[in-house]
Amino acid sequence: MIAFIPCAGLGTRLKPLTDHCPKALVEYQGKPLLVHLIEHLQAQGFDRFVLNLHHFAPMLRDFATEYARRQGLQMAFSDESEALLDTGGALTHAYAAGLFAGEEAVLVHNVDVFSDLDLRSFCTEFSAKSPAALLSVRRRPTSRYLYADAAGRLRAWRNEKTGQVKGEPISDNFNAFAFSGIHIIKCRLIEEWAASYGTDKPFSVIDTYLNAAQRHEILLQEQKGGFWKDMGKIEDFE
């Protein structure tokens, strides 16, 4: 399976670290976030990657190209220099560019997420259940929760700060989880999104999953125990 790593964001929460480089190249413990993630993915058997580019695009392209050459990896790039497309738009843009050609599904892993999730087992679960998408989630405090029914199917989303709810009315039988920024999506669903939302417009992947859940099986899988950390704030690097 190919891995898509969203790298186009401006990294505003990491300023001033991102004033002179993209978030993916901000260093933690002597290595860029991108290298930490690729090493983790390599250890789990991944050797083909797609990165989307916007903020300091030439710098990131040059670094990733040279890194891939040294490591013997396949690296492709989806150029979003003209406009940031959010994760949903980024996926349809890369799909339209032919970067997922021949693939049944794509692993999406945020570049600022550190996790010891067993991705081999995660992929095996996806293959066994064959949903349109499988999202890794955890029970942890967050301001935005995903809700699943007893079968683990995505049903709703809630912003705890504003009270806004999307999807179905939240039932007492639903379980609340925090999204981990790691998911697998079938390419035929990306193709459907491309037809519905276009390939050069920004849109939220969570909103689109909620809409897709009315017609497709979108499953949540809880990561119990283990390690997970979002390196999205400046204090995470201190």
Side-chain angles (χ1 to χ4, degrees), residues 141-194:
T142 184
S143 60
R144 293 167 293 183
Y145 284 100
L146 296 177
Y147 287 84
D149 62 20
R153 295 171 296 198
L154 177 64
R155 287 291 178 253
W157 171 95
R158 175 181 168 87
N159 186 318
E160 293 297 304
K161 293 182 179 179
T162 65
Q164 180 185 18
V165 174
K166 297 179 181 179
E168 299 179 11
I170 295 174
S171 163
D172 290 340
N173 296 323
F174 289 175
N175 295 305
F177 299 100
F179 181 42
S180 294
I182 306 168
H183 42 131
I184 301 175
I185 178 171
K186 283 188 175 175
C187 287
R188 71 167 183 256
L189 182 55
I190 302 176
E191 181 181 18
E192 181 181 302
W193 290 354

Side-chain angles (χ1 to χ4, degrees), residues 1-3 100 102-107 126 184-187 190:
M1 188 182 296
I2 199 166
F100 304 146
E103 300 295 324
E104 178 185 353
V106 177
L107 171 78
F126 175 82
I184 301 175
I185 178 171
K186 283 188 175 175
C187 287
I190 302 176

Side-chain angles (χ1 to χ4, degrees), residues 1-6 48-52 76-78 80 87-108 185-191 193:
M1 188 182 296
I2 199 166
F4 178 74
I5 305 175
R48 296 180 297 128
F49 303 92
V50 174
L51 277 57
N52 63 337
F77 303 96
S78 180
E80 296 180 22
T87 304
L91 284 167
T92 60
H93 190 72
Y95 175 84
L99 301 180
F100 304 146
E103 300 295 324
E104 178 185 353
V106 177
L107 171 78
V108 184
I185 178 171
K186 283 188 175 175
C187 287
R188 71 167 183 256
L189 182 55
I190 302 176
E191 181 181 18
W193 290 354

Side-chain angles (χ1 to χ4, degrees), residues 61-83:
R61 183 190 293 270
D62 290 347
F63 176 89
T65 298
E66 176 59 20
Y67 182 82
R69 185 192 65 78
R70 295 198 311 266
Q71 297 293 320
L73 306 173
Q74 294 182 34
M75 188 75 67
F77 303 96
S78 180
D79 192 347
E80 296 180 22
S81 295
E82 293 187 3

